[in-house]
Amino acid sequence: MKFTRAYSSSLNGAIPAAKAKYVPVSGTYPIGFTASGILVGVKAGNTTKPDLALVTSDRPCSAAAVFTKNKFQAAPVTFSRKVLESRANAGLRSVIVNSGCANAVTGIGGLEDASEMARTTDQRVGVPDSTIVMSTGVIGQRLPIRKIIDHIPVAYHKAGGSHRHWLDCARAICTTDTFPKLMSRSFALPSSPGIEYRIAGMTKGAGMLAPNMATLLTILATDAPIAPAIMTPLLKHAVDRSFNSITVDGDTSTNDTVALLANGAAGGRELSSPDQSADYEAFQDTLTSFATDLAKYIVRDGEGATKFVTIRVVDAASELSARAIARAIALSPLVKTALYGKDANWGRILCAAGYSLISPPGQPVNDVPEIVPERTNVSFVPTDGSQELKLLVDGEPEEVDEERASEILEAEDLEILVKLGTGDKSTVHYTCDFSHDYVTINGDYRT
């Protein structure tokens, strides 16, 4: 039987059939927020795709953001960090985003452009210093700033709270993405059981993806009442377990930003301290779960990807070592190409695990037995609930049923399970395979 790779990226702009199911047809959006996505033509030749996005609140928001750790940080990152610091995470109203140009490595002029985008948005809202800025696209080019600021009033005028408004906004932040990544859901807090709270989020990203975030922009908005002082720890906890646990190709971009806004429009008791353990834990769990599901969309849309791969490392001596091992497997080009080729070459998985904890030159050697070959187990776990295929058991290779392996590797979703037998810690990492399309997409990205 001949199989087709319907999951593979489309190069003509159409949403691949296997990915259309991830685009929502309706949503439940937070009270007090509106969104829009309009066409500006930031990138030469773009005459159809919206590329200017706005999310704004009708009242002040608590806000926080987590930014890229790349040393070459884009102008919007530098600008937005300063806004949040000066505001102490309080009184924010809007996020303005352009795609098509990253406004990165653009010097003083780039900072001026980011500031102008924010200032123009603030004028529409009527509140100074209340906007953070995001940009995504080609590095090293100046924005067509006049085009953008002339259209910001249009974006503000067209903003609304319907599903179509939010979906247009999610489309506008995309670059090489093959589908807009938008989610929304309702939740409750123990102290206010009669109130329905809502959270919505959109993200973009398909390549240049690795922990410490990726070529991703994410906007999360909720109508729950969250105090400014606890926004950052809540967001960092969620990002660490979601956007910092995905990998496509190992590159970390200049523009990565995940922002969270909470306007409290739904009412109820304000969440102001971790000491409110029930409410704090409930919201933290909701935010983390929501961010994780949103981050998975990015991996599913990895440039040229044909597989969504969950790497689960269990029975580890420490969470740190488990993460290092999972990340090494996720980043390995040899593992990723074997998965694309549907080759059960488990030696590549073991090899990546084995070098993951080698101390860098000049660093002290870690003598903790975090990997013991004789205790190590590796399996492929099908996502259809059928029995796992054991590849290595307590350091001894199994005779692989190649036909069964081929069946498992044919599926779009796959789990690689690594049991270390050295402790009780675990982690989960999400990645995808490498295909021919990845090279094609990135070979002509700028032109």
Side-chain angles (χ1 to χ4, degrees):
M1 180 178 180
K2 182 176 176 59
F3 292 92
T4 58
R5 294 183 182 276
Y7 197 63
S8 184
S9 298
S10 166
L11 299 180
N12 62 9
I15 298 176
K19 297 185 182 181
K21 61 190 175 187
Y22 301 119
V23 181
V25 296
S26 63
T28 303
Y29 298 102
I31 300 169
F33 284 99
T34 54
S36 67
I38 66 169
L39 171 63
V40 171
V42 172
K43 192 172 184 178
N46 175 29
T47 60
T48 58
K49 175 192 165 303
D51 54 3
L52 184 67
L54 173 68
V55 174
T56 188
S57 171
D58 64 3
R59 65 201 72 195
C61 300
S62 301
V66 177
F67 300 103
T68 181
K69 293 184 179 180
N70 193 304
K71 295 300 181 184
F72 290 94
Q73 300 196 345
V77 170
T78 301
F79 175 84
S80 297
R81 180 184 285 110
K82 289 181 179 178
V83 170
L84 289 167
E85 289 174 352
S86 66
R87 280 278 192 172
N89 288 4
L92 275 291
R93 293 285 292 271
S94 310
V95 183
I96 187 75
V97 189
N98 76 272
S99 61
C101 179
N103 191 13
V105 198
T106 46
I108 294 174
L111 284 170
E112 292 172 348
D113 290 345
S115 176
E116 187 65 20
M117 287 176 65
R119 185 162 51 248
T120 305
T121 307
D122 290 340
Q123 289 171 353
R124 294 291 101 188
V125 175
V127 180
D129 303 320
S130 66
T131 300
I132 60 176
V133 182
M134 301 181 189
S135 297
T136 182
V138 178
I139 295 171
Q141 296 180 1
R142 287 287 298 276
L143 291 170
I145 190 61
R146 177 51 57 184
K147 251 189 209 183
I148 292 173
I149 61 175
D150 284 350
H151 282 83
I152 287 176
V154 179
Y156 183 80
H157 175 72
K158 290 189 173 182
S162 73
H163 173 67
R164 174 52 57 184
H165 286 100
W166 281 88
L167 189 59
D168 285 345
C169 190
R171 292 183 192 278
I173 68 175
C174 292
T175 51
T176 60
D177 307 65
T178 67
F179 69 94
K181 302 166 182 66
L182 174 68
M183 283 177 46
S184 63
R185 65 182 54 155
S186 300
F187 64 97
L189 295 176
S191 67
S192 306
I195 298 177
E196 179 188 27
Y197 294 109
R198 302 168 185 85
I199 185 169
M202 64 188 73
T203 191
K204 64 82 51 183
M208 206 181 277
L209 287 161
N212 295 325
M213 293 194 301
T215 301
L216 68 86
L217 302 180
T218 302
I219 303 169
L220 306 169
T222 181
D223 52 18
I226 314 294
I230 62 171
M231 290 287 283
T232 296
L234 282 167
L235 182 60
K236 284 185 174 179
H237 180 277
V239 167
D240 198 36
R241 290 156 180 79
S242 56
F243 297 104
N244 277 347
S245 293
I246 60 174
T247 299
V248 168
D249 52 19
D251 279 357
T252 297
S253 177
T254 54
N255 290 60
D256 314 333
T257 304
V258 177
L260 170 64
L261 282 74
N263 67 5
R269 179 187 177 191
E270 183 181 63
L271 180 55
S272 59
S273 167
D275 294 335
Q276 299 165 269
S277 57
D279 277 2
Y280 191 92
E281 290 177 12
F283 183 74
Q284 182 174 262
D285 288 348
T286 295
L287 180 63
T288 301
S289 173
F290 186 84
T292 299
D293 289 343
L294 199 55
K296 288 178 182 178
Y297 280 172
I298 295 177
V299 177
R300 290 193 178 279
D301 201 22
E303 290 172 345
T306 72
K307 296 188 186 304
F308 177 88
V309 185
T310 299
I311 300 170
R312 193 178 305 276
V313 178
V314 301
D315 301 339
S318 69
E319 187 175 343
L320 190 63
S321 63
R323 289 190 178 195
I325 292 165
R327 183 176 185 236
I329 296 169
L331 286 171
S332 169
L334 293 178
V335 171
K336 293 159 82 70
T337 51
L339 293 173
Y340 174 69
K342 295 173 288 186
D343 180 9
N345 195 341
W346 57 267
R348 293 180 175 182
I349 299 170
L350 212 59
C351 179
Y355 64 62
S356 62
L357 301 178
I358 296 175
S359 299
Q363 297 296 314
V365 176
N366 183 357
D367 290 328
V368 177
E370 293 174 315
I371 296 179
V372 178
E374 295 78 15
R375 300 182 193 171
T376 304
N377 294 259
V378 178
S379 300
F380 286 153
V381 181
T383 55
D384 61 4
S386 58
Q387 189 173 3
E388 69 184 76
L389 179 64
K390 296 182 179 181
L391 307 168
L392 186 77
V393 177
D394 293 333
E396 295 290 336
E398 294 287 285
E399 184 174 347
V400 178
D401 181 341
E402 295 292 350
E403 185 176 347
R404 175 66 177 140
S406 181
E407 289 176 355
I408 294 173
L409 291 171
E410 189 63 53
E412 293 172 4
D413 286 34
L414 167 72
E415 179 177 318
I416 296 173
L417 175 63
V418 179
K419 297 180 180 179
L420 296 174
T422 56
D424 60 359
K425 305 301 181 184
S426 63
T427 196
V428 179
H429 200 98
Y430 306 99
T431 191
C432 59
D433 57 348
F434 266 163
S435 73
H436 304 288
D437 280 354
Y438 179 84
V439 177
T440 301
I441 292 165
N442 284 284
D444 62 7
Y445 175 66
R446 193 173 68 88
T447 54

